[in-house]
Amino acid sequence: MNALGVQQMSDALERAEKIISKWVRLGAGFGAAPAQKTPDIEQLLVDTAGIMPQFARLHSMMISWLARYDRLVCRHRLASLAKQIESPQQSAALGLTLTLCGDHAQSDHFNLAIKACKPLDPPMPMFQIDRQNDKFAALARKFSCSQGRNWGLWTPRERLYDDAIRPHSWIMSNNPSLHKRAIFSGKLQASILVTLETDPSAGRSESALARACGATRNAIRDALDHLELCQFVQRKTAKGLVAILPN
């Protein structure tokens, strides 16, 4: 392997270590140190989908975590981020993972994000290890679950690692910023609050916030009425625009 290849592998491992540390902070059972702060969950899901083919255990762990804690994910914000994914393989990996999670949890929480993802064409094995030769690829296709074939990424149906995910009491105690997400069960109100935290400029107007959250302006207004009643946000009118500020 040349120097460029070594550097690329080193960069990939460093990126994977950072992603895994964030999952550890959220209560996933990897043998690694946790990240120092609570991660941006929606961005973490997108980033994880990008390295999933090289690290197969991330796939099963992500499904296991989401099947239990899907309500901590801001579904509108995740859908908005999913639309921005440029890599076809990454988009398909996220769509497949969310589909499998929905099947396991019998939940439609991720339907918006799933619609924002696209199947891979032409199809291939989900994991890098199965792409090494034609024989491995053929076996991956033969034993793939139907969802994997639908998304163009051949993979068997993952079993859940429920015992490798920490209980909600530990997760919420170590990540108190997730309480707002839990209160609103990952609905539009949660997306608004997290969007205002991660991108304050999105609160400059209702229209800007609607674009950032991938929702209609009417839906944003209804959600803001609820948030204002709960005293999580305040609206201020200036020069014909309604600015939204977190409390």
Side-chain angles (χ1 to χ4, degrees):
M1 183 180 295
N2 58 30
L4 178 60
V6 171
Q7 184 60 49
Q8 289 176 337
M9 179 176 291
S10 176
D11 291 344
L13 288 173
E14 182 179 356
R15 184 184 178 200
E17 288 174 358
K18 290 180 179 179
I19 288 174
I20 289 171
S21 72
K22 292 177 181 180
W23 279 111
V24 174
R25 179 63 187 250
L26 292 175
F30 291 105
Q36 294 184 354
K37 64 178 183 179
T38 300
D40 177 337
I41 295 180
E42 292 76 41
Q43 188 62 58
L44 177 59
L45 299 183
V46 172
D47 292 343
T48 303
I51 67 168
M52 206 175 282
Q54 288 78 37
F55 302 91
R57 192 160 184 258
L58 274 171
H59 186 228
S60 57
M61 194 67 78
M62 181 168 155
I63 294 172
S64 301
W65 193 93
L66 289 174
R68 189 189 296 188
Y69 298 119
D70 57 345
R71 289 180 294 178
L72 294 179
V73 180
C74 301
R75 59 189 184 188
H76 289 81
R77 184 165 183 266
L78 178 59
S80 181
L81 291 178
K83 291 177 182 177
Q84 301 173 37
I85 296 176
E86 296 180 355
S87 165
Q89 182 177 308
Q90 186 176 4
S91 178
L94 180 62
L96 170 58
T97 304
L98 297 178
T99 298
L100 291 172
C101 172
D103 290 347
H104 278 295
Q106 297 184 338
S107 167
D108 62 357
H109 187 76
F110 295 116
N111 282 4
L112 283 175
I114 291 171
K115 290 179 181 178
C117 299
K118 297 180 180 180
L120 187 65
D121 187 27
M124 66 172 63
M126 172 71 165
F127 302 115
Q128 196 71 43
I129 192 171
D130 294 323
R131 301 174 189 172
Q132 294 181 5
N133 56 57
D134 292 342
K135 182 178 180 180
F136 286 0
L139 288 172
R141 180 176 184 178
K142 179 179 179 180
F143 293 106
S144 176
C145 61
S146 59
Q147 296 92 334
R149 286 191 288 270
N150 290 340
W151 281 98
L153 288 172
W154 305 321
T155 181
R157 184 175 177 85
E158 294 284 351
R159 71 178 183 87
L160 298 185
Y161 288 90
D162 196 58
D163 57 347
I165 305 298
R166 289 187 181 273
H168 64 83
S169 56
W170 185 96
I171 292 174
M172 303 309 288
S173 175
N174 285 273
N175 301 279
S177 63
L178 299 182
H179 281 104
K180 292 178 182 179
R181 292 168 172 266
I183 289 171
F184 296 107
S185 295
K187 296 179 181 178
L188 182 55
Q189 291 90 337
S191 284
I192 289 173
L193 292 175
V194 174
T195 297
L196 291 175
E197 290 174 0
T198 57
D199 181 16
S201 66
R204 65 185 180 274
S205 69
E206 291 179 344
S207 296
L209 189 57
R211 287 193 296 271
C213 293
T216 66
R217 193 168 176 179
N218 285 338
I220 288 291
R221 283 178 175 172
D222 288 343
L224 287 174
D225 286 343
H226 187 192
L227 288 171
E228 203 164 34
L229 176 65
C230 297
Q231 298 187 328
F232 282 114
V233 302
Q234 56 179 309
R235 284 178 279 194
K236 294 185 176 181
T237 302
K239 298 182 181 179
L241 293 177
V242 179
I244 302 96
L245 302 172
N247 282 338

